[in-house]
Amino acid sequence: MVTRLSLENEVEQILHRISGGGNFLLSGGAGSGKTFSMVQLIQELFVRYPLTRIACVTYTNAAVKEIKSRVNNKNLWVSTIHEFLWANIKHFQIELRKSLIDLSNSKEETKINIKLEQESAKVEQNYFENIEIQYKEYTRLKDGIISHDELLIIANHMFKTYPMLCSIVKDKFSFIFVDEYQDTSPEVIEIFLQSFKRTSKKCIVGFFGDAMQSIYDGSIGNLEQYKGDSIDLVQEIIKQQNRRNPMSVIRIANCLRTDGIEQIPSYDEHAPNMFNNEIKAGTAIFLYATNEESLDKVREYLKNTYNWDFGNSRITKELNLTHNLIAEKAGFKELMEIHDGDKILDYVKIIKDYIRANPSDIISEENSFGQVIDLMSKGKPPTKSMQEFIKINKILFEEAKTYRWGEITKVYVDKNQLLDDIKDNEDDNTTGTNSKQSELMKHIRKIQKNIELYSTGNYNEFIRMTDYKITTINDKKDLKSKIEELVNVCDKTVNDVIELANEYKICVKDDKLDNYILKNKYVFDRVAKVKFTECQEWYKFIEGKTPFSTQHKTKGSEYDNVLVVLDAGVWNNYSFEYVFDAESQKQKLIDGKSKTRSKLDSFPRKLERSKKIFYVCCTRAKENLAVFYNNPTREVLKKAKEWFGEDNVINLDI
């Protein structure tokens, strides 16, 4: 006979709410075990209602994999939110076509800008006749291809417009659970909490998450407008325990929370933060210095004093606010500069917009960019920041001027093309099904993967990954000599390596790469000149083999040792000085309100954003937390001593 574990108190409360037919929200801080509660709830529901069907939707593929590993039942649907929505609307092609056209013709600016690439202001109702609407990783609206953002808007529109769709989904599932609800878009919440009300069929919707960990733009953040104990609202159930963090970190985390939830340590003997039936004390220290080059000193201090291992990304992470701050440290600064901050392409865009607003017969797609500049620069000169960039990058600008106007205006570059689909650590086997990484960087990643497989002795997998056909011993010898030429990359450029890998059939160029180059030759030409050794450093970062991560990317992860770097840069959305010195910073804005009105208006949101990102970072630590603040004010140090303890605030300059 199998012994069933006793149900958590919070799960019992949820079951009571379900018995009354009401929706619910389980709110719990970092490390509280919300996923454990959800799994226990699902298992109990299958015991009580063996034939029921449950849908569990979440934010990431990694979360999908984790939930599937914990519950195995044919009546359980587990997927990302996007996959769930598409599965439920994709067969209604007539309604999909009409919805896409209606949204394209909508005058409401609050809706997504789904305007087709055609001159007429209105899209005819038969535009998509005989065209199947498809959901892919890229958007091509004129061909009926939508991507992730469009899917959310179209699904929301369809559930609003066609109540029968709500009934169909309710017929499929008696329960729908939304994991990490705070990261979900408002459109998804509207479907479950507004559109669903339009039909009488029953379906319990449950939400699991933490409003304090809402750090992504465009997400719902919280369910305040929907919360309440009445049957037509969402009843909140609080989970206070913290199973992850040591006591020193829990205390700091509670100082940062803005919603009144105060976490308490879990006294479950199996909780990770327990040791010999006692809560781990852990360490939480605040380090500071007055030198911009102090990070090396910080790492050295943590190595020597606390025995931190920065060479092991599984147990130690250094968290920075942006990828730009990481790129130079991790060794791929040039790749980052190519993918983020090219002011020449910004200049192309403002000229393109100017020409669209002021059509000219003298401009042709066959003109060079340089010729267009000569013809149009008086109408739209570069901004000051563009002028500064061009002055620093004179050679690049002269090269850019040689590209055809019709070619360079179609170039699209975004840092996600370089940095999407980053692994959390080198043991992370999850892959992004909706990766925004460019076909160029995917190809480079594949080449380096082959080099790594060979270098680490994983020969069978290496041979399987290559396009080289082996039939004789001599073939193996030939392949060995060729791959070793790539292993010993020396000063070869990206282009050198791509061409050699193609010639040697170690990684053959495909249609996707060719199409990318055709559409983005300007970006390809820049990347092609980069030393391949820099791509190898980028590969280490992408594959989770470095101790670096952004503060946003680490959400959901945990490590023994966490170093949080509170950069003192000027950010539009963040100010860590606000976190430690909110009162006097706000007073300064009030005193100078005639000059800082907009800053004063944005103060509450900026403070909230900064507290949340800092909270997420601190609560990743399972054993030890270190926060580094460069050149803090007296007020910042005063608050740090209050939170961390005077003995744990350490001046590295002494």
Side-chain angles (χ1 to χ4, degrees):
M1 182 177 177
V2 178
T3 303
R4 288 172 58 196
L5 294 174
S6 60
L7 296 177
E8 290 184 321
N9 177 54
E10 295 84 4
V11 174
E12 293 278 16
Q13 291 180 59
I14 292 171
L15 288 166
H16 179 71
R17 175 67 174 178
I18 286 173
S19 68
N23 298 331
F24 66 88
L25 160 64
L26 179 68
S27 290
S32 61
K34 295 181 291 294
T35 303
F36 177 85
S37 299
M38 182 170 65
V39 168
Q40 192 177 69
L41 173 64
I42 291 170
Q43 291 171 332
E44 181 63 21
L45 287 172
F46 280 134
V47 170
R48 297 187 182 192
Y49 316 105
L51 300 181
T52 196
R53 291 206 71 208
I54 302 172
C56 179
V57 295
T58 189
Y59 194 65
T60 65
N61 289 301
V64 169
K65 184 178 180 181
E66 180 183 359
I67 294 166
K68 283 183 175 179
S69 70
R70 297 198 198 184
V71 184
N72 181 21
N73 191 297
K74 65 179 182 179
N75 287 335
L76 175 66
W77 168 291
V78 186
S79 73
T80 64
I81 292 165
H82 288 79
E83 289 168 346
F84 175 82
L85 292 176
W86 182 243
N88 283 290
I89 68 173
K90 66 181 180 181
H91 298 299
F92 301 98
Q93 284 290 317
I94 293 173
E95 292 80 6
L96 265 168
R97 294 186 191 102
K98 187 174 188 315
S99 296
L100 186 50
I101 291 168
D102 289 346
L103 288 167
S104 298
N105 291 330
S106 173
K107 293 181 180 179
E108 294 184 36
E109 293 299 322
T110 53
K111 295 186 182 299
I112 197 167
N113 185 25
I114 306 182
K115 298 298 179 185
L116 300 180
E117 298 174 11
Q118 59 181 44
E119 293 181 4
S120 63
K122 188 175 182 180
V123 183
E124 298 300 326
Q125 289 297 318
N126 64 350
Y127 185 90
F128 291 112
E129 191 173 3
N130 301 320
I131 294 177
E132 180 186 3
I133 306 302
Q134 301 176 70
Y135 168 55
K136 295 192 175 183
E137 294 177 13
Y138 60 91
T139 304
R140 192 177 296 147
L141 295 173
K142 63 181 181 180
D143 295 329
I145 297 173
I146 62 172
S147 188
H148 323 306
D149 293 338
E150 294 84 13
L151 171 62
L152 298 180
I153 302 299
I154 292 169
N156 178 273
H157 177 82
M158 288 181 66
F159 277 96
K160 277 183 183 176
T161 309
Y162 306 105
M164 182 60 70
L165 185 57
C166 298
S167 295
I168 291 170
V169 173
K170 287 181 173 184
D171 279 339
K172 288 182 184 178
F173 303 105
S174 301
F175 303 94
I176 297 176
F177 298 149
V178 182
D179 190 26
E180 300 292 353
Y181 82 90
Q182 72 277 355
D183 297 329
T184 306
S185 76
E187 290 81 10
V188 173
I189 301 300
E190 281 185 14
I191 291 171
F192 294 137
L193 295 183
Q194 292 184 19
S195 296
F196 266 30
K197 286 183 178 180
R198 301 181 64 190
T199 67
S200 59
K201 292 181 183 294
K202 291 302 298 178
C203 174
I204 303 293
V205 183
F207 301 90
F208 298 77
D210 181 13
M212 194 65 195
Q213 295 185 67
S214 171
I215 59 174
Y216 301 125
D217 291 336
S219 62
I220 189 68
N222 61 66
L223 297 180
E224 289 302 318
Q225 69 184 95
Y226 299 105
K227 283 161 57 175
D229 293 334
S230 65
I231 199 66
D232 58 338
L233 293 173
V234 178
Q235 185 181 69
E236 183 176 29
I237 293 158
I238 305 295
K239 189 171 189 183
Q240 286 187 286
Q241 70 173 325
N242 183 314
R243 297 167 52 83
R244 175 195 299 151
N245 303 130
M247 196 63 230
S248 56
V249 174
I250 292 174
R251 276 195 291 264
I252 292 166
N254 283 337
C255 292
L256 294 169
R257 291 200 70 96
T258 59
D259 58 359
I261 294 178
E262 183 171 342
Q263 287 192 280
I264 57 175
S266 169
Y267 289 93
D268 177 352
E269 61 181 323
H270 301 297
N273 58 0
M274 291 287 290
F275 183 72
N276 289 338
N277 292 325
E278 291 187 5
I279 296 294
K280 292 179 183 176
T283 60
I285 59 176
F286 183 96
L287 308 174
Y288 69 99
T290 56
N291 188 332
E292 289 288 351
E293 306 300 322
S294 296
L295 263 176
D296 288 338
K297 191 185 294 185
V298 171
R299 297 187 194 102
E300 203 62 34
Y301 177 85
L302 292 171
K303 286 178 188 175
N304 295 337
T305 310
Y306 292 97
N307 201 30
W308 282 32
D309 182 3
F310 281 90
N312 189 338
S313 63
R314 298 181 186 88
I315 64 171
T316 302
K317 276 293 180 188
E318 176 184 318
L319 307 182
N320 296 264
L321 185 58
T322 71
H323 285 114
N324 301 72
L325 298 173
I326 291 173
E328 186 169 3
K329 301 174 188 177
F332 58 94
K333 181 182 178 183
E334 190 173 354
L335 285 172
M336 191 71 218
E337 288 174 346
I338 292 170
H339 286 82
D340 188 41
D342 189 323
K343 298 295 183 182
I344 293 172
L345 289 179
D346 290 345
Y347 186 28
V348 169
K349 185 178 186 303
I350 68 167
I351 293 178
K352 182 180 177 183
D353 291 343
Y354 179 79
I355 293 172
R356 184 182 290 117
N358 303 275
S360 172
D361 294 336
I362 61 174
I363 300 296
S364 164
E365 289 200 347
E366 298 306 314
N367 288 132
S368 69
F369 176 34
Q371 289 172 327
V372 173
I373 290 172
D374 292 338
L375 292 167
M376 303 303 298
S377 60
K378 290 182 181 178
K380 201 65 180 175
T383 63
K384 185 177 179 180
S385 64
M386 293 172 190
Q387 290 174 17
E388 291 172 355
F389 183 88
I390 289 168
K391 185 177 180 180
I392 296 169
N393 298 275
K394 290 180 181 178
I395 296 175
L396 175 63
F397 185 53
E398 291 304 315
E399 290 176 354
K401 286 160 67 175
T402 66
Y403 287 81
R404 282 191 319 106
W405 179 243
E407 179 179 59
I408 200 166
T409 54
K410 291 180 172 63
V411 170
Y412 175 74
V413 65
D414 179 88
K415 63 183 177 183
N416 283 329
Q417 294 177 330
L418 178 72
L419 297 168
D420 202 31
D421 201 22
I422 300 173
K423 292 188 176 181
D424 191 46
N425 58 65
E426 56 187 304
D427 294 329
D428 181 0
N429 293 318
T430 59
T431 56
T433 58
N434 297 319
S435 174
K436 295 177 182 176
Q437 209 170 85
S438 74
E439 295 302 333
L440 171 59
M441 298 315 299
K442 286 178 183 177
H443 191 79
I444 291 170
R445 192 173 183 176
K446 185 177 176 183
I447 292 173
Q448 181 56 29
K449 178 67 175 178
N450 285 344
I451 291 172
E452 181 184 68
L453 287 171
Y454 177 82
S455 301
T456 55
N458 198 339
Y459 302 123
N460 290 334
E461 181 65 10
F462 161 66
I463 291 171
R464 190 186 70 79
M465 288 282 289
T466 69
D467 296 288
Y468 193 97
K469 304 301 179 188
I470 295 177
T471 56
T472 67
I473 294 295
N474 286 334
D475 289 338
K476 283 189 177 182
K477 291 179 181 178
D478 182 50
L479 178 58
K480 181 177 184 293
S481 67
K482 288 175 176 175
I483 184 60
E484 287 182 351
E485 186 176 344
L486 291 180
V487 170
N488 302 314
V489 68
C490 300
D491 287 331
K492 292 184 179 69
T493 64
V494 168
N495 191 62
D496 293 336
V497 172
I498 287 176
E499 293 301 326
L500 276 175
N502 181 64
E503 179 186 343
Y504 294 164
K505 299 189 185 306
I506 289 168
C507 188
V508 173
K509 293 191 288 185
D510 59 11
D511 289 345
K512 290 182 179 179
L513 178 62
D514 290 340
N515 288 334
Y516 174 86
I517 296 171
L518 185 66
K519 294 178 181 178
N520 297 277
K521 191 172 185 301
Y522 172 79
V523 177
F524 173 79
D525 288 347
R526 290 195 68 187
V527 174
K529 296 172 186 174
V530 175
K531 292 286 190 293
F532 193 78
T533 49
E534 179 163 325
C535 291
Q536 291 179 316
E537 297 305 314
W538 164 80
Y539 175 85
K540 290 177 187 175
F541 174 67
I542 288 291
E543 292 292 322
K545 298 175 186 291
T546 75
F548 306 114
S549 181
T550 61
Q551 295 168 6
H552 286 78
K553 179 61 183 177
T554 195
K555 192 166 85 70
S557 304
E558 54 186 37
Y559 309 92
D560 287 355
N561 310 312
V562 173
L563 167 61
V564 184
V565 180
L566 297 184
D567 185 83
V570 180
W571 310 104
N572 290 330
N573 295 325
Y574 303 96
S575 170
F576 295 115
E577 195 168 9
Y578 284 10
V579 173
F580 288 86
D581 184 25
E583 290 184 15
S584 64
Q585 289 300 312
K586 184 177 182 180
Q587 190 59 49
K588 284 180 183 178
L589 295 176
I590 293 172
D591 294 341
K593 63 182 177 181
S594 60
K595 297 180 181 179
T596 59
R597 183 73 251 179
S598 62
K599 290 184 179 179
L600 182 59
D601 291 343
S602 65
F603 177 85
R605 179 61 179 145
K606 197 168 185 175
L607 174 60
E608 183 183 36
R609 281 172 177 263
S610 304
K611 276 193 169 186
K612 284 182 176 181
I613 195 72
F614 187 42
Y615 173 86
V616 167
C617 290
C618 291
T619 54
R620 302 309 98 197
K622 295 194 295 181
E623 303 277 349
N624 308 299
L625 169 69
V627 174
F628 173 64
Y629 197 120
N630 192 60
N631 202 22
T633 63
R634 184 183 304 170
E635 290 79 8
V636 168
L637 286 177
K638 181 180 178 182
K639 182 61 71 174
K641 289 174 182 177
E642 179 185 323
W643 287 351
F644 289 79
E646 191 151 351
D647 292 342
N648 294 319
V649 177
I650 300 157
N651 185 352
L652 295 178
D653 291 337
I654 297 176

